[in-house]
Amino acid sequence: MRTVIVQVPGGAHPIELTPGESVTFGRGGDHDVDIVVAGCGVSRLAGAVRASDDFWLISNYTSHFTYVIRNPQGAGEFVKLAPRRLEMPVPFEFADVMLPVDGEEPAFRVLAPRHAYADPDLVPSTEGERTVATFPLDQTARYFLILVALCEPRLRDASSVVIPTVPEIIERLCQAGYPRLTRTSVNFHIEYLARHKLRVKPADGSGGKADWQRAALVSLALRFNLVGHQHRALLATPRQRVPS
């Protein structure tokens, strides 16, 4: 089972890793690396990413440079990877890996969409295989807000056939007081939900329709109560929202 995805800027195809698999990164040259990161401040063999169950680890092979791994979905959270530190676990579902190069763009992004949870009705056991969440959703993540916005018309009226468009989602989240998202960002999260979180597939004859992903996400989320009326509070205006 693939549990970790590495996205490289520039449109390259994402690298999907199963537990135990790893990729190397660096400037390359006389060292073969899986992810080439241009920049004179990047070592030829700078480090490695390894998948481990539902999380990942990162190694820094350099002797002088500290790397920064930040959470682009949070409020500025980040961790530092010291020189020569090996296989540091990263706690973020979305993570931008920042290397010592010019500019603010990450060298690459790592996604860990799979999660394991304890069964609340059972005493935790260390024996046997762990239970893996079928639909591993983080209700604090931006993609969950987008999923709630998609489901909101159906939550208000179960007979509604309205599926919000991307511009409508952007405006709805703005009305709720969240920072304005770009179309690219919303489309990324819809694709992420469809491919890696809920893993929806087009119904026969719907693959050519531009809105099949949004419709399939709404259908599955409501069918399994992944989004419910209680989540509509996330889209209340800041004045109406009750702090948790």
Side-chain angles (χ1 to χ4, degrees):
M1 179 186 297
R2 294 178 175 85
T3 60
V4 172
I5 303 156
V6 182
Q7 290 188 328
V8 182
H13 195 275
I15 303 171
E16 298 187 358
L17 304 176
T18 58
E21 289 184 330
S22 63
V23 290
T24 56
F25 59 89
R27 193 173 78 246
D30 55 359
H31 282 278
D32 289 332
V33 293
D34 300 299
I35 302 171
V36 177
V37 182
C40 58
V42 179
S43 296
R44 286 167 293 179
L45 180 60
V49 167
R50 182 170 71 85
S52 178
D53 294 328
D54 58 344
F55 67 100
W56 56 284
L57 308 103
I58 185 168
S59 297
N60 182 349
Y61 294 156
T62 69
S63 300
H64 306 289
F65 294 116
T66 295
Y67 303 156
V68 174
I69 297 91
R70 69 182 184 189
N71 176 13
Q73 300 289 297
E77 301 96 338
F78 67 92
V79 293
K80 293 183 178 182
L81 180 63
R84 299 186 301 279
R85 173 71 190 274
L86 299 179
E87 299 206 328
M88 182 185 77
V90 178
F92 309 134
E93 178 175 343
F94 294 82
D96 287 342
V97 178
M98 314 296 294
L99 301 185
V101 296
D102 293 334
E104 296 296 324
E105 291 299 314
F108 53 90
R109 173 172 290 181
V110 182
L111 314 176
R114 304 289 295 175
H115 303 285
Y117 293 97
D119 188 328
D121 298 323
L122 297 175
V123 176
S125 171
T126 58
E127 298 180 359
E129 294 185 3
R130 293 188 301 169
T131 301
V132 177
T134 303
F135 304 118
L137 296 174
D138 179 355
Q139 295 186 11
T140 67
R142 193 173 300 163
Y143 63 70
F144 190 76
L145 282 175
I146 291 171
L147 183 59
V148 174
L150 278 169
C151 295
E152 187 182 37
R154 194 78 57 84
L155 289 172
R156 287 200 303 258
D157 179 2
S159 64
S160 174
V161 294
V162 173
I163 303 293
T165 64
V166 170
E168 288 171 343
I169 292 171
I170 293 171
E171 290 305 315
R172 183 66 186 92
L173 295 183
C174 282
Q175 292 170 9
Y178 297 103
R180 177 172 286 273
L181 301 176
T182 65
R183 292 179 68 107
T184 300
S185 176
V186 173
N187 281 322
F188 166 80
H189 285 293
I190 290 174
E191 178 74 14
Y192 182 69
L193 282 163
R195 290 194 60 189
H196 303 295
K197 306 302 286 188
L198 304 189
R199 300 184 299 281
V200 297
K201 297 180 180 179
D204 292 342
S206 66
K209 298 180 180 179
D211 60 351
W212 77 264
Q213 278 186 330
R214 288 179 285 120
L217 289 172
V218 170
S219 177
L220 189 145
L222 296 181
R223 185 186 316 141
F224 289 99
N225 292 327
L226 305 178
V227 175
H229 289 282
Q230 70 275 20
H231 297 121
R232 292 180 60 189
L234 295 172
L235 300 182
T237 63
R239 182 176 299 178
Q240 296 170 326
R241 206 171 298 147
V242 178
S244 57

